[in-house]
Amino acid sequence: MARLVAYLLAPTFAIALLASTFASAEIVEHSFYVQNVTICRLCQEQVIAAVNGRLPGPTISVREGDTLVVRVYNLSPYNITIHWHGVFQLLSGWADGPEYTTQCPMLPGQSYVYNFTITGQEGTLWWHAHVQWLRATIYGALIIRPRVGCSYPFPKPYKEVPIVLGEWWNANVFEVESQALASGGAPNISNAFTINGQPGDLYPCSSKHTFKLKVVQGKTYLLRIVNAALNDHLFFKIANHKMTVVAVDASYTNPYVTDVVVISPGQTTDVLLIADQPPASYYMAAHAYDSTDGAVAFDNTTTTGIIVYDYATSSAPIMPVLPAFNDTPTAFKFFSNLTGLVTSPFWAPVPLNVDEPMFITIGLGLAACAANATCGGLFGQRLAASMNNASFQFPTKLSMLQAFFNNVDGIYTTDFPDQPPLIFDYTNANNSLNQSLLITTKSTKVKKVKFNATVEMVMQNTALIGVENHPIHLHGFNFYVLAQGFGNFDPVNDPKKFNFDNPQKRNTIAVPIGGWAVIRFRANNPGVWLMHCHFDVHLPWGLATAFVVENGGTPSSTLPPPPLDLPHC
């Protein structure tokens, strides 16, 4: 708004301002070579798909306003796409990356150039493969700093450090997923978690595979934490240290002091760490937050890194006491206490008038087992997942964005329901095995909305088959988290709890176990935008849908044509 006023009142100043803005923006180029490499973890060698032979892959650093150009060469035996998790992709939806949503995958031997400008975002995001389980090893941090001449809304740190949390299997992850999908049952759990690709010295053969961060006493460090794990929420702590949360999902927050960070798959959290303890070595550690309370098998191991002070003695590192795996009160306290920083550069007030109200049930279910097959799900069926009892199935003939742009019928339907087909006691565990509620069918149903419409979604967890905390990620937008709670959403009393003043903004929301969350966003970006659970076990089961946002009717609100090198199905 200030720039618009400057333009109206002082044309000469406005032209100079625009000139300096464009001058500060750069074109940042990278080349990604995706190929199989052999690395050693947990006492054995394992072949993985990786970018440029690294785990994690390269950290990309840009400034707000920069254009990012990444040339991806698929030298692996797998189909590949890359998703730039949390990037708005304003009028560049062709670069978003999810397979069969905005593009068809690159086949082995093919390449594609992702070209997009990062506008109106600062903080930590990340990139990852968006085909099957390949993001287990194909991922990396994406850091967006302020433009030259602009500053953080907090004291400048002495150093910035990406802390990328991952998950490791002593197996080919593609085969782990394929076996689960073939059987219709749950996949094998991981063997370890990692910090910046290293399991840490609590695992066998891993004393040399431990991330270490050297710090200077009295200095402040900005830790950019990413949860790149496939299927686990994580508790993260540093022994004897507090952390101050200053951003989540590349959106600034009011400073929140905590001794534990809770982070769901797909989320990022920026924290300030002051090295204010006596010179020594301190573990940073992470293990799973198991919202199911042991009802589902999970990886119960602990990954560690070590913070080493200058002039520290060689004594053993001090270990933090992590929360219990099932500590839902701690997780909810962290998630619900975050608020948005209204003085930050890109804050906008919450839209108050809702054009598209939606009530969406999310959870597990069953799909019919194929004839003459043996399936590993309950009652001899296949495990499935759904939103409003619609279990999402990706097209394969054409991407949904290509179908939208070229007006091709038969790829998806626009009848995703705004309400569940049946009202019941959603979070009552007595319904968990109610076969009349469990069966779902596969379809490619999406929600179509007009450009600039305000969408509000009540996401209601269900207890079907099992109750757990689901991380739901929306492509193409940030959303305001107005409220969250436990039990069934109360349409009379719960709206009284909505935070319209300074709600946190996110692109991935952890919907509480046995509870609900309300989010709101303005659909001001034309294209097709996937919304899905960021547990990679739940996405192929169908816990997803998509928003088709119509063009706005002007060049600045109309999706441009696809790039010439866009992969074809």
Side-chain angles (χ1 to χ4, degrees), residues 318-334:
I318 300 169
M319 187 71 182
V321 178
L322 287 162
F325 295 118
N326 63 349
D327 192 347
T328 289
T330 291
F332 185 76
K333 177 183 176 182
F334 179 86

